[in-house]
Every structure is written in structure tokens, then in C-alpha cells.
Amino acid sequence: MAGGVRYFGLMKRMAICCLMLFALLQGAAGVPAALAADDQPKEGEGSVYYVVPVRNTIDNGLFNIIERAFAEAERKGAKGIVLDINTLGGLVDSALDIGEFIRSSQIPTVAHISGKAASAGSYIALNAQKIVMEPGSSIGAAAVVDSSGKEVESAKTVGFWAGEMRAAAELRGRNPEIAQAMADKTKGVDLPAINRSFSKGEIVALTAEEALKVGYADKVASGVEEAVKLISGGEANPKIVTYAPSFAEKLARFLTNPYVMPVLLLVGIAGVAIEIFVPGFGLPGLIGVTGFALYFFGHYVEGFAGVEEIALFVAGIVLLIIEVFLPSFGILGIAGIVCIISGVVLAAANTESAWLSLGIAFAAAIVVVAIFVKIFKHRGIWNKFILREQLKTEQGYVSNAPKEHLLGKEGVSLTPLRPAGTVKIHEDRIDVVTSGEFIEADRKVVVILIEGGRVVVRELK
């Protein structure tokens, strides 16, 4: 009965947490529509121009922010978009997606480089129709590096990325050799316009003034207003709207960071496992479900996960709980694990990154759960299936009435002893055994040994 109470209590907590998760996701679903205020130009103002910050690491989250910003700008009838770039780069895949999205947009774009447009940032800038650079800014240094920051030497990878850089430059009428040399140090390029030659082994990076002279910047000026003038043709009183990601978007971008994902999964796996194997606390289960909720919330807002992946994950959790309390020889447990892993992996933008995060989290969770179970082993769920109670003599429990007082007493055999039988000692009938010999009925016997409840007799001659 107690196990059933714990089972339904755990199911109730899990159900409440799942409802909270779906409520969060439903609220997040309305984020894009709620972002925009009334940005229509007022009387005396010119056309609307959007400024979209491109900051920090370029990743899938940034792509989703740019996608929403462009959609909002289109709804507001914006005449142009300024990409305010200051980044050291990021994921190549995300940069390629952003570049393709910029090229396919019907709204004119201009890249305003306010700091650095390095690596993937330079590729995004090259896809814009115009480039404005502030004094002291730079563009280039687009060599491919791995997660540890080490430069990738693979000719295939470098060649592909250099080709994409070259194609972006050609599209906007810029010297493709420079873009290729920004990504591939084996190429080198001679730039007489700035009296400089980049030899093989050097990666090209240009200052604002150098970029202007070689045709990689259309203007060097301070402030996004100058970029708006360039794209608007000098329109008077343009209305400049800076797109600001909502709190939900900022949180989602943080939660989908490759370094944060393993932590959320660790919290989720460890919390739920502790609640299942050491029930009764409640808090670990709540924390665990919160970790998973934040994981799916971030990926849902970023547009990577849908309700299907979340439903798959919840089904997996339910199957695991049922397996613990209603064993099915592992069938439900295996199905639950498959559902959980599938939900987590399918919800992520990058399958490889999801597998890596899940592996790290699972390994760490084993250690955490093992420590917790060792400390609270007396509360483990396995105690339901193991009889640990002991009825000790010291506590007043005895399996047989004590018979030590019979030692040396004489009696008469009531039945033949072959070798077991019954004797009468005083007025008591006692079950006894002999040492192996046969004793007939109505013979005198004497008790020679008491072993717990075993009474041994021999015949008196």
C-alpha cells in the first residue's frame, strides 16, 4: 500500500511538472508576435529602417533571432535592415544559414561593422548588399577552427568554407580572391591598393581603411545612422528601430548553448533518477523535471523542438516510472529510455552536439545518483522487495519456547523412537530424537542434549 501511495504521489508530481512545461511552451509560442511595439512612422518621420544586432557567438540561436527580426521588419513595412556586427565568429553551419537567409530576403540589407567581423562574422557581412565600417573596426580572419580553438587543417573543410566566402564576395561584386584568402591561408593575395601583399601562410584581415580601399567597405563612418543613410539614399528623418530580443529569446539562446545543454540534462537525469530510486523526497524529482523543462523550453523557443519531441520525452518518463513499480521484464523500461533519448536528440538543432551533451550528462549523472543512493540507501525503492526486518532474541523474540530446563530430566517414551518420537516428562509431552538408535515405547529415557528446539534423549538401562 505504501508503495502504491509513493507511486501515485510521484506520478502526480510528474504530471504537475509536465503541465507547467506545456504552459511555458504555450506562452513562449506567442513570443514572436508579442515582440513588436507600434513602430509605424509618425507624422513627419520617414520610412522605417530596422537595426538588428549581431553580437557574441554566431549560433543557431542568432539565426532564429535574425529570422524573427526580418519577419517583424517586413510586417512593419521596413525599407531596409542594418546588421550591426561585432563578433569573433561562431558556428559555420549557422553562418551559412544566416547568409542564405540574407540573400533570399526582399528587404535591402547593409552590414554595419562596429567592432570586429571575424570568421563567420565576415561571411555574414559579405552577404549584405553594402558594408559600412566604423574607424578602428576590422573584417576577415575567417579560418575554420574546432571547438578547442585549433585551426582546422582538413583541405576538404577549408576548401568548402573558402569557396563559400568567395561566392559571397562575387555575389556583391567584391574581389573573390580576398575573401578566399581570408579563409584559406594557403592562397595568399597581392593588394596593391594598400601596398600590401599577403603571402601563403597568412590569413587576410583588413582594417576599415584598408577594406574601403580594396572595395570591401562602401563607407567608413561612425554610427548606424550612416549605414541607414547609405541604404536609404539619404532619406530625411528615417525612423530607426532597433530590434531587441525578448527575455524569452535571450533565455532560450542561453539554454541552447552547447556548454549549458549538458548541465540541464545532468540535472534532469540525476533528479528524476534519484526520485525514482530513492522516493519520498519530492525535491530531486521537481529539480530534475525543471532541468528537462528548461532544456525543451530553450529549444522550443528557438524553433528546434516541437510538441512531438516533448510528448515523446514525457511518454518515456512515464514508461520508466511504470516499469519501476509494475515490472514488465524490461520491455517498458527499454521503450521509455528510447523515447527519452529520441526526444532529447530530436529536439536539438545539432544531432551530434545533442549526443555529446547527453553522453556527458549521463556519465556525470551515474556518479551523482550513486553517491546519493549510497547516502540514503535505507530509503531506496529496492527495500520494498527485500525483507530486512530481523526478530532477534535480544529484542524478546524467540522461534521456540526455551527447553534448557529439560536437560538431565527423565521420562517415558510414549511412541517408538525411530529415532524421532514423543516422550512424557512429568506431565508434558515433548517431541524428541535419539542419537540414532531405536527405542521402543514405554521405555525410560533421559535428556542428554538441548540444541535450540531439538531435544536429544537416550534409553536408561
Side-chain angles (χ1 to χ4, degrees), residues 30 49 57 88-89 159 247 314 326 330 412:
Y49 294 87
T57 302
L88 294 175
F247 172 77
V314 172
L326 300 173
V412 178

Side-chain angles (χ1 to χ4, degrees), residues 144-208:
V144 182
V145 296
D146 58 23
S147 57
S148 64
K150 183 179 179 181
E151 191 171 324
V152 175
E153 300 291 343
S154 169
K156 183 177 180 180
T157 302
V158 173
F160 169 77
W161 176 237
E164 292 295 323
M165 290 283 290
R166 183 185 181 98
E170 285 182 338
L171 179 67
R172 302 308 184 189
R174 301 183 177 102
N175 184 349
E177 301 296 330
I178 298 176
Q180 188 173 11
M182 286 180 173
D184 188 351
K185 66 181 180 181
T186 66
K187 296 302 178 182
V189 64
D190 185 35
L191 301 177
I194 58 174
N195 297 319
R196 188 174 178 184
S197 179
F198 290 88
S199 59
K200 292 183 179 181
E202 283 188 277
I203 288 290
V204 174
L206 303 172
T207 65

